[in-house]
Amino acid sequence: MVERLLPVKNISLLGSTGSIGVNTLDVVAAHPDRFRMVALAAGRNYRLLAQQAKQFRPEVVAIWDESLKEPLLDALEGLDVEVLCGKEGVIESGRWPSAQQTISAIVGAAGLAPTLAAIRAGKEIGLANKECLVMAGDLFMEEIARAGVTLIPVDSEHSAIFQSLFNGQVGSVQTTLTPSHKKEIRHLTLTASGGPFRGWKRTQLQSVTPAQALAHPNWSMGRKISIDSATMMNKGLEVIEAYYLFGVAADKIQVVVHPESIIHSMASYHDGSVMAQLGAPDMRTPIAVALAWPERVLTEVPPLDLVEIGKLHFFSAPDEQDFPCLSLAFRALAKGGGLPAVLNAANEVAVEAFLEGEISFLAIPCLIEWVMEKFTPRKPSTIEEIMKIDGEARILATSWILQQRKE
Amino acid sequence: MVERLLPVKNISLLGSTGSIGVNTLDVVAAHPDRFRMVALAAGRNYRLLAQQAKQFRPEVVAIWDESLKEPLLDALEGLDVEVLCGKEGVIESGRWPSAQQTISAIVGAAGLAPTLAAIRAGKEIGLANKECLVMAGDLFMEEIARAGVTLIPVDSEHSAIFQSLFNGQVGSVQTTLTPSHKKEIRHLTLTASGGPFRGWKRTQLQSVTPAQALAHPNWSMGRKISIDSATMMNKGLEVIEAYYLFGVAADKIQVVVHPESIIHSMASYHDGSVMAQLGAPDMRTPIAVALAWPERVLTEVPPLDLVEIGKLHFFSAPDEQDFPCLSLAFRALAKGGGLPAVLNAANEVAVEAFLEGEISFLAIPCLIEWVMEKFTPRKPSTIEEIMKIDGEARILATSWILQQRKE
C-alpha cells in the first residue's frame, strides 16, 4: 500500500500564551510538515506572543488589550506579520481566511465571540474554552450543526469521551450522539482527580490560601482552572460541557474521583462494555488528538506504563457535601433558563475574588449559590441575551462581595 | 430523527454446547428481534444440543460424533429440524445457506475446517476459536481478505483491542491495521489475570492438581482454556492471535498482569493516548459486540462500577521464569515456519495429558519446548500442510509422554 501524504493544515490559535496555547505550539513545532500556524492571538502577554510569532511566522497576530499594540509592535522588531488588536482583532485572527482549524483556548467568557465567529466562517474547531458550552451550550451546538464543521474537544476529559465514542471513525464527526447511539450509552463517566484538597473537610477548607489551591497534584494548568479544580467546579463545568457536547441526559453523566488522573474519562455501553482513554496527565495528548484527528501524530508525552504505576489505588464518589460546586452545576443544568451561564459568571467573579484575597475558599460556592437563587431564570435565545445574563450575574456576584466586605 | 429498524440477523453457531456457545445463546435469547439461530453444531453433548434446538428452533443441528446421531434424533423428539453429523455435517451447518454470521466457538484444531468453510461461503465471522489464528494465522487472514468478510474477535482481550481500535467505526471492518494506522500504534497490550497460580514459584507449582488449575479466579471457562490460563499459555496463544489478527509486529504486543480482569486490553498510540475497553469479566459482552457490531445490544452483564471495585490494585510484568509458556509463544512467532501450529498441538496434547493425570503441571512447558526443538521448521502454504504439522507435533508430544512414562 502506498502511504498517503497528508497535507499541511493551517491553524489559528486563540489564546496562544496560556497553558493550552503553549502546549499547542509545542505539538505544532514538532510537526512542521503537518501543521502551520497562520494566526496567533493573546490577551496581554505581548512579549511571549512576539516570541511565538518569531518562531512560528504566522500571517497575523492579535492582542486583546489594545493598549499593548505598541509594545507588541516593538517586541516584534519589524517582523513581517499583520498586527491586530482589541476584541475585533482577536475575532479576525480566529476566522483568518487561510486557517482551516481554530483552536479556541482563550479562558473564560471572552472566548465565546471569537469562537462563534470562527464557526460561522466554517473553521474546524478544537475547543479548549469551557464557557462556549457552559454559557451558550444550546446555541453553540446549533451554530456547529448549522455550519457543519467538525468540533473536537481539547479538555482532557471530553477528549477522552470523544475518543472513546469515536476512535477510528474517519471523516467529519458530530459529537452529538445519534438517537440510536445514545440508546446504547448507559453513562458517560468523567474522572476527577479530586484536586489538591481531596478528602479535606469543611473545617480544614476554611483557611485554604490561593497558593495552596493553585498547587494541583497532577496537571499543570492556568490559575483560573486550578482554583476550579480545587473547588470541584471544574468538574461541574465539565458535566455541563459534556451534556451539550454529546447531547446525553444529565442523569447519564457521572463523576468518579480517581486521583491518579490516568483514566481520563469513559463511556459505558448497555452491552457491558466501557470504552476509556488513558494516558499520562499531559495536555499535549488531547491537543494532538484535536489537531490531527482522525490521524494521530507523535508527541513527546511519555508513554503510559501501568506496570511502573503499579496500581490505580482509588475510585470513589465525589464528596458533594464538602465540595458543593459539583451539585450546583447539576442544579444549573436541571433548572436551565440561563442558569449555567449564571453559575459560570458567578464562579469567575468568585474565583477572582478568592485569588485577590477578598473572599475565602468556602465562600466561593456560597456566592455562586446566592447568585443562582437571586437570578430569575429565563431561556436565552441569542448570544446577546447570554452576555446580558452574564453581566447581570457578575453584578449580583460583585454586590455579594461588597455586602460581605461591609459585614 | 427516525429510528432505524434493524433487520434480524441469521446466526450459525459452531460449538453451541461449550461455554462460549451457551453464552452466545443467552445473548441471542434476549434479542429475538435482532438474532435468529439457523444452525447449531456441537461435539458430543447431544442432550444439551437437543434442548437448545427445542428452544431456538434452528433449521439445522449437527453433531460431530457420528455415533451420537441416533441418541440426538431421539432427544429431539421429532422436532422439525435437519440433523447432520460428522465433521462434514458440522462444516455444512457452519456455512448454512441462510446464515449471515457464523460464530466459531469450537475449541481446538477441530474448529479450523468449519470456520474456513464458513469464510469461503462469505459468512461474517465471530471468532472465539483460537486455533484458526494460532495454527493458520497467515492463511486464515488471507482467506478473510479474499472473501472480504468482516471478522470480529470474541476472545475478551481481542474484542477489547478491536473495540479500542475501531469503536464507532461503521461498516465492514478489516481487523488488520492499515500501514498508516499501524504507524500510530505504539503497543497493543493484552491484560492477563495471571491465572489461579499468579505469584507462585516453581516449587509450589510442582504439585499442582487439575482441580486446582481448573479453578479460575475471574472467568468461568472451558477446561482446556482454564488450564491454558493457569500455565499462561492462554496469553501466549492470544499474543499469536493478536499478531495475525491486527497485523502488528510481535515486539509491539505486550502482556501486563492485571488480576482483576477489569481492563480487558488496550491499544497505545504514539500521541500518548491509550484506548482501553473495560467491563465485568463476563463473556456475554464480547459475544454481544461480535453479534451486534457496529451496533450494541443490551446484555444482562452487570454494569462496571469502579467506585464499588474501589481500586485496580495491581499491574505487573508477567513472570516468564516460572510460567515459561508465554515466552514459548513469542519464540514460536519469532521462528515462524509452522512453529505456532507446533506449539498449539503440543500444548493440546500436554493439557489433555495433565488433565488425565499423566504428566505434571510443570511438565506442560517442558513437553512443548521439547517438541518445538525436535520439529524442523517449514513454512506451510496450505491448510493440509498445517494439519500435517499439527499431526507430527502431536506424535512427537505423545512420544515424549510415553518416554517419560517409561522413565
Side-chain angles (χ1 to χ4, degrees):
Chain A
M1 249 181 276
V2 179
E3 225 176 289
R4 193 155 40 107
L5 262 181
L6 295 159
V8 177
K9 191 186 196 182
N10 288 342
I11 313 284
S12 168
L13 176 55
L14 294 171
S16 67
T17 59
S19 67
I20 296 291
V22 167
N23 276 306
T24 300
L25 292 176
D26 188 73
V27 174
V28 164
H31 298 282
D33 56 321
R34 295 293 312 282
F35 310 117
R36 186 171 50 160
M37 299 310 304
V38 293
L40 296 173
R44 290 195 202 95
N45 192 344
Y46 68 89
R47 283 193 189 86
L48 181 53
L49 179 59
Q51 266 179 35
Q52 292 173 336
K54 285 176 199 166
Q55 185 184 349
F56 290 92
R57 301 298 175 116
E59 297 169 14
V60 63
V61 295
I63 188 128
W64 187 288
D65 185 335
E66 302 191 19
S67 70
L68 297 171
K69 187 174 182 181
E70 286 308 314
L72 174 60
L73 282 167
D74 287 350
L76 287 167
E77 298 175 297
L79 191 77
D80 180 25
V81 60
E82 192 154 339
V83 180
L84 303 173
C85 67
K87 181 178 170 182
E88 284 311 313
V90 170
I91 287 175
E92 274 318 300
S93 73
R95 66 180 175 207
W96 196 247
S98 63
Q100 293 158 277
Q101 183 179 34
T102 298
I103 303 296
S104 166
I106 292 174
V107 173
L112 191 49
T115 310
L116 282 169
I119 294 168
R120 287 171 190 159
K123 310 301 181 195
E124 197 180 311
I125 303 294
L127 187 67
N129 171 281
K130 289 171 182 287
E131 287 72 12
C132 287
L133 289 165
V134 173
M135 293 177 65
D138 278 326
L139 294 172
F140 185 86
M141 294 306 290
E142 278 166 34
E143 294 273 358
I144 288 282
R146 194 175 304 136
V149 297
T150 293
L151 168 65
I152 304 179
V154 171
D155 226 2
S156 67
E157 291 79 359
H158 302 90
S159 176
I161 291 175
F162 174 79
Q163 292 178 66
S164 296
L165 295 172
F166 302 115
N167 191 34
Q169 185 153 320
V170 179
S172 151
V173 172
Q174 294 295 338
T175 52
T176 307
L177 297 173
T178 61
S180 59
H181 199 171
K182 215 178 284 184
K183 222 177 77 180
E184 297 174 350
I185 298 288
R186 204 170 252 155
H187 298 295
L188 301 182
T189 305
L190 297 163
T191 55
S193 71
F197 308 132
R198 181 176 59 78
W200 290 33
K201 296 289 156 198
R202 289 188 75 79
T203 46
Q204 298 163 281
L205 291 170
Q206 252 161 2
S207 55
V208 154
T209 65
Q212 285 176 295
L214 286 169
H216 192 276
N218 301 335
W219 293 92
S220 162
M221 303 183 296
R223 286 162 61 88
K224 161 72 166 53
I225 297 176
S226 293
I227 303 303
D228 285 346
S229 171
T231 62
M232 296 284 285
M233 181 56 95
N234 188 42
K235 217 45 58 177
L237 298 176
E238 285 171 13
V239 166
I240 298 173
E241 283 179 273
Y243 172 85
Y244 290 112
L245 199 48
F246 302 112
V248 299
D251 62 4
K252 283 196 169 186
I253 304 173
Q254 289 184 336
V255 174
V256 168
V257 175
H258 160 44
E260 285 100 346
S261 298
I262 294 297
I263 301 179
H264 293 319
S265 279
M266 298 171 265
S268 306
Y269 289 88
H270 68 171
D271 61 7
S273 267
V274 178
M275 301 307 301
Q277 188 254 1
L278 292 71
D282 189 314
M283 285 308 294
R284 289 175 296 181
T285 294
I287 289 167
V289 168
L291 288 169
W293 191 264
E295 320 287 331
R296 290 177 181 270
V297 292
L298 183 68
T299 68
E300 285 171 21
V301 176
L304 182 70
D305 185 343
L306 282 175
V307 170
E308 198 192 306
I309 291 166
K311 63 180 170 183
L312 302 180
H313 81 291
F314 195 84
F315 296 97
S316 72
D319 172 4
E320 298 192 31
Q321 204 64 36
D322 294 296
F323 296 86
C325 283
L326 185 56
S327 318
L328 290 175
F330 272 106
R331 199 193 299 175
L333 260 192
K335 286 199 173 171
L339 259 300
V342 169
L343 170 104
N344 178 67
N347 181 56
E348 275 200 31
V349 174
V351 169
E352 207 166 307
F354 169 67
L355 285 171
E356 296 298 321
E358 288 174 21
I359 66 171
S360 72
F361 186 76
L362 286 178
I364 297 173
C366 297
L367 184 161
I368 298 164
E369 188 171 20
W370 183 86
V371 173
M372 282 172 69
E373 277 168 10
K374 278 281 168 190
F375 183 84
T376 312
R378 56 180 194 272
K379 190 171 165 56
S381 54
T382 65
I383 296 298
E384 291 66 34
E385 283 170 38
I386 289 165
M387 293 315 296
K388 203 156 164 270
I389 289 173
D390 176 81
E392 278 178 41
R394 282 168 199 270
I395 290 168
L396 281 170
T398 309
S399 76
W400 188 89
I401 295 169
L402 292 172
Q403 188 60 35
Q404 212 204 26
R405 202 180 289 167
K406 279 190 209 146
E407 279 165 10
Chain B
M1 247 180 276
V2 180
E3 224 176 291
R4 193 154 40 107
L5 262 182
L6 295 160
V8 177
K9 192 185 196 181
N10 288 342
I11 313 284
S12 168
L13 176 54
L14 295 170
S16 68
T17 58
S19 67
I20 296 289
V22 167
N23 276 305
T24 300
L25 292 175
D26 188 73
V27 174
V28 165
H31 299 282
D33 56 322
R34 295 293 313 281
F35 310 116
R36 186 171 49 161
M37 299 310 305
V38 294
L40 297 173
R44 290 196 202 93
N45 192 343
Y46 68 89
R47 283 193 189 86
L48 181 53
L49 179 59
Q51 265 178 37
Q52 293 173 337
K54 287 176 196 164
Q55 185 183 349
F56 291 92
R57 301 298 175 115
E59 298 169 14
V60 64
V61 294
I63 189 130
W64 188 287
D65 185 335
E66 302 192 20
S67 70
L68 298 169
K69 187 173 181 181
E70 286 307 315
L72 174 61
L73 283 168
D74 287 350
L76 286 167
E77 299 173 298
L79 191 78
D80 180 24
V81 60
E82 192 154 339
V83 180
L84 303 174
C85 67
K87 182 179 170 183
E88 284 312 312
V90 170
I91 287 175
E92 273 319 300
S93 74
R95 64 178 177 209
W96 196 247
S98 63
Q100 293 157 276
Q101 183 179 34
T102 298
I103 303 296
S104 165
I106 291 174
V107 173
L112 191 51
T115 310
L116 281 168
I119 294 168
R120 288 171 189 160
K123 310 301 182 195
E124 197 180 313
I125 303 294
L127 187 67
N129 170 280
K130 290 171 182 286
E131 287 72 11
C132 286
L133 289 165
V134 172
M135 293 178 64
D138 278 325
L139 293 171
F140 185 86
M141 293 306 290
E142 278 166 32
E143 293 273 358
I144 288 282
R146 194 175 303 135
V149 299
T150 293
L151 169 66
I152 303 179
V154 171
D155 225 2
S156 67
E157 291 79 359
H158 301 92
S159 176
I161 292 176
F162 175 79
Q163 293 178 65
S164 296
L165 294 172
F166 302 115
N167 192 33
Q169 185 154 318
V170 179
S172 152
V173 172
Q174 294 296 337
T175 53
T176 308
L177 296 173
T178 61
S180 59
H181 198 171
K182 216 179 281 184
K183 222 177 77 180
E184 297 174 350
I185 297 288
R186 204 170 254 155
H187 299 294
L188 301 181
T189 305
L190 297 163
T191 55
S193 71
F197 308 131
R198 182 177 59 79
W200 290 34
K201 296 290 155 197
R202 289 189 75 80
T203 46
Q204 299 164 281
L205 292 169
Q206 252 159 2
S207 55
V208 154
T209 65
Q212 284 174 296
L214 286 169
H216 192 275
N218 302 333
W219 294 93
S220 162
M221 302 182 296
R223 285 161 63 87
K224 160 71 166 53
I225 297 177
S226 292
I227 302 303
D228 285 347
S229 170
T231 62
M232 296 284 285
M233 181 56 96
N234 188 42
K235 217 44 60 176
L237 298 176
E238 285 172 12
V239 166
I240 298 174
E241 282 179 274
Y243 171 85
Y244 290 111
L245 200 46
F246 302 114
V248 299
D251 62 5
K252 283 196 169 188
I253 304 173
Q254 290 183 336
V255 174
V256 168
V257 176
H258 160 44
E260 284 100 346
S261 299
I262 294 297
I263 301 179
H264 294 319
S265 278
M266 297 172 265
S268 306
Y269 288 88
H270 68 171
D271 61 7
S273 267
V274 178
M275 301 308 301
Q277 188 254 3
L278 292 71
D282 189 313
M283 285 310 294
R284 288 174 296 180
T285 294
I287 288 167
V289 168
L291 288 168
W293 191 264
E295 320 288 330
R296 290 176 180 272
V297 292
L298 183 68
T299 69
E300 285 172 20
V301 176
L304 182 68
D305 185 341
L306 282 175
V307 170
E308 199 192 306
I309 292 166
K311 63 180 170 181
L312 302 180
H313 81 291
F314 196 83
F315 295 96
S316 71
D319 173 3
E320 300 193 29
Q321 205 63 35
D322 295 295
F323 297 86
C325 283
L326 185 56
S327 319
L328 290 175
F330 272 107
R331 200 194 297 176
L333 261 192
K335 287 200 173 171
L339 259 299
V342 170
L343 170 104
N344 178 67
N347 181 56
E348 275 200 33
V349 174
V351 169
E352 206 165 308
F354 169 69
L355 285 171
E356 297 297 323
E358 288 175 22
I359 66 171
S360 71
F361 187 76
L362 286 178
I364 297 173
C366 298
L367 184 160
I368 297 164
E369 188 171 20
W370 183 86
V371 173
M372 283 171 68
E373 277 168 12
K374 279 279 168 194
F375 184 83
T376 311
R378 58 180 192 272
K379 192 170 163 56
S381 54
T382 64
I383 296 299
E384 291 66 35
E385 283 170 37
I386 289 166
M387 293 315 296
K388 202 155 166 270
I389 289 173
D390 176 81
E392 279 178 39
R394 282 169 200 270
I395 290 168
L396 281 169
T398 308
S399 76
W400 188 89
I401 294 168
L402 293 173
Q403 188 59 36
Q404 211 204 27
R405 202 181 290 166
K406 278 190 212 147
E407 280 164 10

